[in-house]
Amino acid sequence: MDKSNVLFLNFLDVIFFIVCVTFKILVYGKHLETGHMKFVSLFIPTIASVMIIVSISLFFNTGARSRMLYIFNIVISSFIVSDIIYFRYFKDIISLPVLANGFQLGAVKSSVSSLMNIKDFLYFFDIAFIVPFINRYVRQYGSNVFPDYKLPVVMLLLLFGVVLDFKSFYGLSREQPRLLSTMYNKVYITRKLGVLNYHCLDIYNSVSANITKLVPDSEKKIDEINTFIDNNKSDGKSLKGSAEGKNLIMIQVEALQEFVMGASVNGQEITPNLNRWARRSEYFNNFYYQVAAGGTSDAEFMTNNSLYPASAGSAYFLYSGNRFHAMPENFKKKGYSTAAFHAFRENFWNRNIMYKKFGFDTFYGEKSYRGNEIIGMGLSDRSFLNQSLIKLDSMKSPYYAFLITLTSHFPYDQVNKYGNFDVGSLNGTFLGNYLKAIHYTDQQLGMFLDSLDERGTLKNSVVVLYGDHYAVPKDRGNQLLKFLNINSTSDVNWEKLQKVPLLVHFPDESVKGVNNTYGGEMDVYPTVCNLFNLPEKDMLGKDLFNPINQRVIFRNGSFIDKNYYYSSGDNVYYSMKTGKKAAENDRLRKEKENVLDQLGYSDYILKHNVMDKLKK
Ligand code: GP9
Ligand code: MN
């Protein structure tokens, strides 16, 4: 075979691949129209992933090399074009679990062809009209990579790609620690790491989750879980069936932390409306959020399933193929109609798929609302709650309605849209901004609850309202401790602040008062089952009106109760009374093991998808 005299022509296929595929990925990045798209930052991970492919291809002889690059070009371009079409409709990137479930559930409502654009096919132009010629040329005149130094050259290129790529992944994992395992913001990952890295990460996460599912489940383990579930039920009958046949309106409030309840800033109540409604409700003041990496979605997952969140990643993505016995399905068996309301992208946190799995008849997402007032991430709580009132009116009773608010979402920087709540010396601080945001949301919730009251809806409805998770991250903790006049920065004091309010409002306010029972999001579903007389079969939480214990378990194995806080990270117990460290004793050690068992049961149920094999 003749060799070309010009070196670069020997590697025309390689050079073309590097230039063209990098260009395609960068242009695609621009399609994601996320505002401040930076080419430079996308360039590094993109070129890194391209170099990895190229270095592997250089191992082979010219024919195989050009064919391999050709196939990769086709695969990458197909990913890009399908992603673009998907993005047009969902404003998100395709992922394997979504593909596996979404299409089968009819999630793609609009036909693919109507979303296609003739320009999309430009991504295939080179594949059809250029690469075949280049490949023919290279097969004739091209040469293998420097035969004498093949291994070192290839290894060097590979190392270059891997190190550069690793740097980008590492940087992102530092910037947003839970992002890579949960993939909750796929657009962001793609923007930061490039489409190639994104899809590799997606495949890795899905495959590793599926491998654990393949291990067969054991009868023994299922018996053990069933025994636990049996012993976990209380004999108490307090308020049993007291809400039978009534509606349930459950409101999950974004970043509503408990410390704002009853508190004032600059001489004014922060949450005057929630304070007023708390007085008219059963108010749980020792109620903790128990979310892990799945944030908001973990809170929803727990309150509707009484299962713990995934130990890593998000249950909404990892277990979207599972069978659940969720609250909506349970209500539906009693003839209820059910709907979820959240005016944000339907597929964010995989909600469109999970809500169907849970048995919601309807999901009113972003597309079901008029986008007439945007604050921060999306539709304002004011508009969301106003439009939801109308939707609620049209629901067939009895119903279960689950609403999730959005405006008071981190980083609380839309201060001039929250109204003019003056937080005095806290103006311009992170905490001050949060107080403004939550004051705004409190106003909208007040309007919503008052309207339900005026319409007479509350006469035949129970309202459950709680916060999803913390508002103030630990690295801003000092501002909060100062605001609350807490001098000690000890772990137990911080932990005591990780509460969210829980209000249960009964028709005619037949039950109200402050309830000190220790509980958390895991306990909402069993509590609802008791009130509405729903079968309570396979839940890991407890009924808060008939508590069998006073313990709250966190995903990382820490737990808190009236007397002790156990911090799993450093394996230390604290006395709740004195705040001082406490020595481990037999009872505590047993408790610690028991906690890990319970988390393990939840993991087992999810990983092996055995909900239907548990207690009937
Ligand atoms: C968006 C919202 C945010 O739909 O639920 O989730 P978070 O970031 O709080 O987990
Ligand atoms: Mn949230």
Side-chain angles (χ1 to χ4, degrees), residues 178 254 294-297 342 344 348-349 351 377 404 406 409 468-469:
R178 55 188 192 145
E254 177 59 37
T296 305
S297 70
H342 180 58
F344 195 58
F348 198 82
W349 281 129
R351 284 185 176 107
M377 278 180 88
I404 299 142
L406 184 62
H409 192 279
D468 64 349
H469 50 68

Side-chain angles (χ1 to χ4, degrees), residues 427-448:
N427 272 318
T429 64
F430 173 83
L431 183 64
N433 290 353
Y434 168 63
L435 298 183
K436 287 181 188 200
I438 206 67
H439 178 80
Y440 164 86
T441 294
D442 170 81
Q443 264 175 346
Q444 312 319 318
L445 289 168
M447 174 283 298
F448 181 74

Side-chain angles (χ1 to χ4, degrees), residues 343 369-374 378-381 383-384 387 406-407:
Y369 287 82
R370 265 175 296 115
N372 50 8
E373 188 186 46
I374 304 296
L379 190 65
S380 70
D381 285 352
S383 179
F384 166 65
Q387 294 185 57
L406 184 62
T407 303

Side-chain angles (χ1 to χ4, degrees), residues 492 496 563-565 573-582:
V492 62
K496 281 182 189 168
N563 306 312
Y564 292 99
Y565 164 56
Y573 299 85
Y574 295 90
S575 149
M576 288 290 273
K577 251 185 227 109
T578 64
K580 296 220 163 68
K581 288 188 181 169

Side-chain angles (χ1 to χ4, degrees), residues 503-523:
L503 281 67
V504 183
H505 182 268
F506 288 82
D508 301 317
E509 288 161 20
S510 53
V511 183
K512 61 180 170 187
V514 175
N515 191 318
N516 313 118
T517 300
Y518 274 71
E521 285 156 341
M522 285 291 290
D523 307 327

Side-chain angles (χ1 to χ4, degrees), residues 143 158 203 233 266 271 311 486 582:
S143 72
L158 188 64
I203 291 169
K233 283 194 185 112
N266 197 23
T271 54
S311 54
I486 299 174

Side-chain angles (χ1 to χ4, degrees), residues 239 265 344 362 491:
L239 296 177
V265 63
F344 195 58
T362 317
D491 273 1

